Amino acid sequence: KLFTDNQLVELLTIAVKNNTIRNVTRFLIYVEGSFIQVLEGKKPDVELIFDKISNNNRHHQILVLDRSNIKKRNFETWSMGFNSFRHEELILIDGYSSISNLKLLDKQSDVLDLWQ
């Protein structure tokens, strides 16, 4: 399902509030109905926000690409970084791989660390 601009603004407003309360930094990319995001913070806070995302019935086919500890946040000054792209824009980026390619990679190897 595609989000309207108003729905994206509403989602971002709620996310910024939750991120600030939990001291979680986040970067979110929206591409024609799909989201890619990075959550950073203390493990219990990140897990709480991820659980909210996972248990929301608007979200389907959640795929975790990496769950690792980091020494320094990549987005430490952002409560919510956001960008929206169209598929036509992404295919012009060198090295771009679609979500369907990532799912295929997951089925073929154990490179991706899926949420258990």
Side-chain angles (χ1 to χ4, degrees):
K1 176 186 171 199
L2 298 179
F3 278 64
T4 66
D5 288 345
N6 287 340
Q7 289 172 316
L8 286 171
V9 168
E10 181 182 330
L11 175 120
L12 292 170
T13 301
I14 293 167
V16 166
K17 179 183 173 189
N18 289 331
N19 295 346
T20 302
I21 290 169
R22 294 281 171 198
N23 193 26
V24 168
T25 51
R26 189 186 316 196
F27 180 66
L28 182 69
I29 297 173
Y30 175 73
V31 182
E32 299 176 348
S34 295
F35 291 93
I36 300 169
Q37 69 179 314
V38 175
L39 296 167
E40 300 174 324
K42 292 182 180 175
K43 185 175 181 177
D45 296 322
V46 169
E47 287 180 356
L48 183 110
I49 288 178
F50 185 77
D51 285 345
K52 285 184 178 188
I53 293 166
S54 298
N55 292 319
N56 186 314
N57 63 4
R58 294 179 296 177
H59 302 137
H60 307 283
Q61 299 179 338
I62 295 173
L63 176 65
V64 176
L65 300 177
D66 183 38
R67 288 185 72 215
S68 58
N69 294 320
I70 56 175
K71 292 182 181 185
K72 185 175 187 285
R73 294 184 191 202
N74 293 294
F75 309 107
E76 64 186 318
T77 61
W78 301 356
S79 61
M80 182 62 142
F82 174 77
N83 206 338
S84 177
F85 294 96
R86 291 186 327 273
H87 179 72
E88 296 81 24
E89 295 171 302
L90 292 178
I91 61 175
L92 299 174
I93 298 173
D94 188 33
Y96 166 73
S97 182
S98 70
I99 294 295
S100 59
N101 288 346
L102 292 174
K103 289 178 184 176
L104 179 62
L105 174 65
D106 173 54
K107 289 179 183 175
Q108 294 175 349
S109 71
D110 60 349
V111 172
L112 300 179
D113 179 21
L114 296 179
W115 189 271
Q116 298 290 326

